[in-house]
Each structure stands twice: as C-alpha cells, then as structure tokens.
Amino acid sequence: MDWGLKNRLSKTISPKTGKTVMLAVDHGYFQGPTTGLKNPKEDLPKLLPYADSLFITRGILRNCIDANTNVPIFLRVSGGPSILGELSNEDITTSMKEALRLNSVGVGMSVFVGAKNEDRTISNLGRLVNEAEDVGMPVLAITAVGKDMVRDARYLGLASRICAEMGAHIVKTYYCEKDFDKVVEGCPVPIVIAGGKKIPEKDALQMASNAIRDGAVGVDMGRNIFQSDNPIGMIKAINAIVHKNVSVKEAFDIYKNEK
Ligand code: R5P
C-alpha cells in the first residue's frame, strides 16, 4: 500500500488498537434535516473529541464544522436522489480535487447491490477507486440496502465482497445476528458497521460489541449516537467497546454515568 494512502488510513483506523469509531453525520444528503442533526453546528462539536473521524458531506463540513478541528474528515462523495426518489440512482457528486482541498483522509460512496441501478453504482465505485489510488486516498464503500433486500449474511457478504473486489479500502455494511463472521471472512478489507435506525442504547452497544467480536474493525455510526438522549455518553460507550473491548455492561454504565 502506498505511503500516503497508508498514512491517511492510519488517521481513521487507530494504529494502536487497529480499530475505529467513525461518526456518521451524512444523513441529510438524501433525508434532509434528520432528527438529532437538525442543527449540526450546535449538535456536533461536543461529539468530535470521541470520534476517530467524521463521515460528512462537503456542504455540512464547510458550513457547520470549525476548520480548526482536529477530527479527520471522511467525505461522502456520492448522492443524487432524495428519500422521495429511487435511492439507487446515485452518482459521484464531489470530485477528488475537492476531497484533497478539504484535507480529507478518505472518501465514501454507496453501492446498491440488487437494486435498480446496481451496475452503475458498482462501476462508479471502480472509477472512484481509480481516481483515489492516483492521489493516495482511501475509499469507503457503503453497502446500502434497498427496501426489498434482506439484511442477511448472504446478501451482506455478497455486497461487501463486491465492494472489496472493486478496490474499496474499507467496507461499511450492516450487522446481522447470524453468520456476521462469515461476512467478515469473505471480505479481504476491513469492515465497519453502520448502526441503522435508532434502537435502545443497550441493544446498540450489544450490536457494536458483537460486530467487534465477529471481526469488524469498528463502526461508522450515526443515529444510535446523535439520536440518543445522551449522545456524549453513547459515543464514549461505543468508543470504549471498540478501542478498549469493555463489556456491554461496562459500556452501558459509561453511557448512564455521563448523564
Ligand atoms: C446513510 O445514510 C449513511 O451512509 C450513514 O452514514 C450510515 O447509514 C450510518 O449511519 P447510521 O448508523 O445512522 O445508520
């Protein structure tokens, strides 16, 4: 792996623990003002000290995040449809030059395996990796799951492997109770999990813990952090699971004690 790419990756995946807590706040790119993220300028700064990187669009980055921040930036570079349209109809919306200008440590896009535009999103990923390799930029591929797709190990394993085959350096997918270790096994690059819809805090901590146990290198989590009644407690608890391997009970105490 080229030095620049390796160095950028090390800003997200801790060389000390081999793990990462990415804070996902890109939801507005198709959902608009999302609960917990309605005012990113106010909602986000308090969470940044506990994140290894921030997964964000350029618009919210420029307008809502202080440029003096130390948090490494992972830039969402795909988009197109809103929540009202055909979600798989995505293209690359942000250039590699822009990612470099914003001092990003990585770029991320969604692929929609099994959906209407799967072929276009997969070839977009291939093209993004070509551009990224030229400048040493890690690519995170996100296995977006369409309305009709089952989130089981077979589907998630298929989608994750395809992302790795296209050259993604990290894959973000969902956790599944059964055989998640097989999803990890079939994907030769590091996997992080998305949190998905808001669930009770203890369940979200359990999911993160299970994912780490099964081989994920961390999380790229959003709603289960910023929609919690205690977002700081929650990100601290997730951080302790990911980097310190604490038990779910200990992590839940961290979440509660922050209140
Ligand atoms: C989808 O909107 C984005 O890729 C999110 O970054 C991803 O789903 C992670 O966020 P959450 O944990 O809220 O699912």
Side-chain angles (χ1 to χ4, degrees), residues 8 32 50 101 126 161 163 165 183 217 226-227 255:
R8 281 199 173 91
Y50 312 103
R101 188 184 293 124
R161 177 59 175 261
C163 292
E165 300 264 354
V183 177
V217 301
F226 61 70
Q227 291 179 352
Y255 153 75

Side-chain angles (χ1 to χ4, degrees), residues 22-31 34 37 55-56 76 90 109-110 140 142-144 151 172-174 193-198 207 219-227:
M22 301 174 73
L23 177 61
V25 296
D26 59 320
H27 304 61
Y29 92 96
F30 73 104
Q31 290 185 185
T34 306
L37 270 189
F55 190 60
I56 189 167
R76 148 80 63 183
E90 278 199 9
M109 64 164 288
S110 302
L140 169 79
I142 302 154
T143 71
R151 291 182 191 191
K172 166 158 80 169
T173 193
Y174 290 94
I193 60 152
K197 285 192 180 137
K198 172 80 179 66
M207 176 170 66
V219 301
D220 185 14
M221 190 176 268
R223 287 163 288 182
N224 278 290
I225 293 171
F226 61 70
Q227 291 179 352

Side-chain angles (χ1 to χ4, degrees), residues 2-257:
D2 186 56
W3 194 95
L5 201 145
K6 201 170 170 190
N7 183 259
R8 281 199 173 91
L9 260 186
S10 77
K11 308 290 179 211
T12 300
I13 300 179
S14 160
K16 257 196 217 151
T17 64
K19 302 280 190 316
T20 185
V21 175
M22 301 174 73
L23 177 61
V25 296
D26 59 320
H27 304 61
Y29 92 96
F30 73 104
Q31 290 185 185
T34 306
T35 305
L37 270 189
K38 293 216 163 107
N39 186 351
K41 227 177 199 160
E42 249 177 43
D43 299 332
L44 294 180
K46 57 183 186 279
L47 300 177
L48 300 186
Y50 312 103
D52 294 307
S53 62
L54 188 62
F55 190 60
I56 189 167
T57 59
R58 64 171 157 185
I60 298 302
L61 179 63
R62 279 217 171 86
N63 290 295
C64 307
I65 302 293
D66 185 346
N68 295 314
T69 186
N70 286 325
V71 74
I73 299 304
F74 234 95
L75 206 62
R76 148 80 63 183
V77 297
S78 70
S82 81
I83 197 164
L84 306 175
E86 165 54 46
L87 289 181
S88 71
N89 200 13
E90 278 199 9
D91 271 308
I92 305 296
T93 52
T94 304
S95 68
M96 199 53 68
K97 200 169 170 187
E98 177 79 318
L100 290 167
R101 188 184 293 124
L102 290 167
N103 204 23
S104 312
V105 300
V107 293
M109 64 164 288
S110 302
V111 295
F112 293 79
V113 172
K116 195 168 169 211
N117 298 294
E118 74 162 14
D119 44 359
R120 201 170 91 232
T121 59
I122 293 171
S123 49
N124 282 344
L125 173 60
R127 265 198 302 279
L128 185 69
V129 172
N130 291 341
E131 289 175 24
E133 291 285 356
D134 272 348
V135 297
M137 184 72 75
V139 173
L140 169 79
I142 302 154
T143 71
V145 180
K147 288 175 200 132
D148 307 324
M149 260 77 83
V150 189
R151 291 182 191 191
D152 61 11
R154 198 160 164 234
Y155 174 77
L156 300 173
L158 169 77
S160 297
R161 177 59 175 261
I162 290 173
C163 292
E165 300 264 354
M166 289 300 112
H169 306 96
I170 313 181
V171 171
K172 166 158 80 169
T173 193
Y174 290 94
Y175 179 73
C176 56
E177 288 287 337
K178 194 167 178 288
D179 292 338
F180 186 73
D181 56 334
K182 300 225 164 63
V183 177
V184 175
E185 201 180 275
C187 179
V189 299
I191 287 194
V192 292
I193 60 152
K197 285 192 180 137
K198 172 80 179 66
I199 53 178
E201 277 73 8
K202 206 171 203 171
D203 297 349
L205 296 173
Q206 185 69 61
M207 176 170 66
S209 173
N210 291 351
I212 296 294
R213 178 201 63 200
D214 292 349
V217 301
V219 301
D220 185 14
M221 190 176 268
R223 287 163 288 182
N224 278 290
I225 293 171
F226 61 70
Q227 291 179 352
S228 169
D229 59 354
N230 178 7
I232 298 183
M234 201 49 192
I235 195 167
K236 279 186 168 176
I238 291 283
N239 198 300
I241 285 176
V242 170
H243 286 298
K244 298 193 181 129
N245 212 11
V246 303
S247 67
V248 173
K249 189 190 167 304
E250 285 170 299
F252 193 62
D253 287 343
I254 294 173
Y255 153 75
K256 277 192 309 196
N257 292 338

